Amino acid sequence: MSASQVVVEAPGAHRVEEHTPREPGPGEALVAVHAVGICGSDREVYQGNRPEGYVRYPLTPGHEWSGTVRAVGAGVPASLMGRKVVGEGFRNCQVCDRCHAGETTLCTDGYEETGFTQPGAMAATLTLPVRLLHALPDDADLTAAALLEPAACVAAAALKGRAQPGERVAVVGTGTLGMFAVQFLRAVSPGELLVVGTRNDREALSRSFGATDFRTRDQELPDDFDVVIETAGSASAARTAASLLRRGGRLVLTGIPAAGADGLDPTDLVVRQLEVHTVFGAPPDAWAHTVRVFAAGLLDPLPLVTHELPLTEFPHAIELVGAGDPKVGKVLLRP
């Protein structure tokens, strides 16, 4: 098949069709897509259970991607031509109060995101505003770089946690985001780095990324850590994460559990003077931090990739992501 793209017509209905690149307009770049990751939210798009206003059909999905700039529009530096890049998904307005503060994921102009309301990267090319691009080193591994979008969300959490060298830090959750959290925290030279998960089979991987201790949540857990990043999104994860902290400790929540999860106890938060932060998406500074850490060799996404499939295998890839099989890590599509 020539250059192709995935189009989700409506929930449960998709086709793989010929792709025609869209020429970049002023301030835009056309990127040849190298690889695109599949996330739980792509599964929501396909199944039709993404919240109202957060998806627009028909749609080419794909918000975790890497590629190479092949063409640029007017007003774009020519030096970007041929560069390896990744890109932010949120299409912020740039003029509201929050955008001016650099908090682009809090843009008050409504929600627009690549792969959800705007054409995504499950296609041979992607055309998007150049301001969303982050250039990579020339020798960057583009397969690994396709995972930098989820990494950026974790970078936002790591920045909010403000872990200092020698502090005792912990991660709750052992999926892709949890493994990135371990790597970001490892990079600040913690005194201890505990990972709490549900399955022992993630211990070896956690330790390879820098964890000094691993426990499952049903084991006895400490209560004197300085910083905890929660990435699990299970009903009890936030409460487990808070229980690990010392008085005055810092908690960062990134998981989104289903309705009815165990809430944090406000009395406990106040009496123990805990500091609680939350993250949804990644603002530009978190993206820049991610690319910097990746370029420095402190972030290794490749061991998290278990499957690479062609675009035509889209439904199979979606199935793999939702099957809950411990052997399935990050699934990539290759246009």
Side-chain angles (χ1 to χ4, degrees):
M1 186 181 260
S2 60
S4 56
Q5 65 185 19
V6 173
V7 176
V8 177
E9 289 277 4
H14 87 285
R15 63 181 191 273
V16 179
E17 63 179 22
E18 197 168 316
H19 170 76
T20 306
R22 179 172 74 74
E23 286 303 309
E28 291 186 324
L30 182 147
V31 176
V33 177
H34 172 82
V36 54
I38 296 185
C39 147
S41 52
D42 295 310
R43 190 173 153 82
E44 288 177 359
V45 166
Y46 190 51
Q47 293 181 329
N49 45 22
R50 191 158 167 83
E52 183 73 29
Y54 286 83
V55 63
R56 196 178 297 137
Y57 302 99
L59 173 72
T60 294
H63 61 285
E64 308 179 356
W65 57 270
S66 62
T68 306
V69 175
R70 293 287 181 234
V72 297
V76 176
S79 58
L80 268 176
M81 278 293 291
R83 290 298 301 270
K84 293 177 179 178
V85 291
V86 290
E88 299 176 32
F90 282 87
R91 306 288 187 95
N92 57 303
C93 77
Q94 300 185 85
V95 281
C96 74
D97 194 39
R98 292 301 90 211
C99 282
H100 281 308
E103 298 176 336
T104 54
T105 59
L106 297 176
C107 175
T108 57
D109 192 43
Y111 169 81
E112 293 285 345
E113 188 176 359
T114 301
F116 298 106
T117 63
Q118 299 283 340
M122 290 185 193
T125 72
L126 175 64
T127 303
L128 73 170
V130 74
R131 64 185 170 84
L132 300 176
L133 296 182
H134 290 260
L136 302 170
D138 292 336
D139 62 352
D141 182 323
L142 280 176
T143 302
L147 276 70
L148 293 185
E149 191 275 344
C153 299
V154 177
L159 291 171
K160 284 189 174 181
R162 306 188 317 281
Q164 303 296 310
E167 282 194 314
R168 305 177 71 211
V169 300
V171 174
V172 174
T174 59
T176 300
L177 298 181
M179 294 302 96
F180 278 134
V182 172
Q183 295 184 62
F184 278 113
L185 289 173
R186 175 72 195 87
V188 299
S189 302
E192 276 180 61
L193 175 42
L194 166 70
V195 175
V196 178
T198 54
R199 307 193 320 250
N200 279 315
D201 61 358
R202 300 297 273 183
E203 178 168 4
L205 191 62
S206 300
R207 288 186 183 274
S208 75
F209 287 137
T212 59
D213 192 8
F214 182 95
R215 303 195 195 180
T216 53
R217 64 183 180 194
D218 50 4
Q219 291 178 291
E220 192 178 336
L221 298 174
D223 62 359
D224 54 357
F225 275 62
D226 298 293
V227 179
V228 179
I229 296 179
E230 177 277 320
T231 67
S234 65
S236 59
R239 194 163 272 207
T240 298
S243 74
L244 294 167
L245 287 166
R246 64 165 168 80
R247 295 182 69 209
R250 308 187 291 284
L251 173 64
V252 189
L253 303 176
T254 72
I256 304 178
D262 294 340
L264 296 176
D265 177 357
T267 305
D268 181 55
L269 295 182
V270 173
V271 171
R272 293 172 62 211
Q273 298 181 59
L274 299 182
E275 200 178 301
V276 182
H277 297 271
T278 59
V279 167
F280 179 69
D285 65 331
W287 272 93
H289 183 61
T290 303
V291 168
R292 202 162 47 235
V293 172
F294 176 64
L298 297 170
L299 199 62
D300 183 13
L302 268 186
L304 302 173
V305 177
T306 57
H307 295 73
E308 295 183 57
L309 303 167
L311 284 184
T312 47
E313 295 278 313
F314 171 72
H316 174 50
I318 290 285
E319 211 171 282
L320 281 171
V321 169
D325 182 343
K327 292 186 189 65
V328 177
K330 200 68 196 174
V331 179
L332 299 182
L333 292 177
R334 299 288 298 270

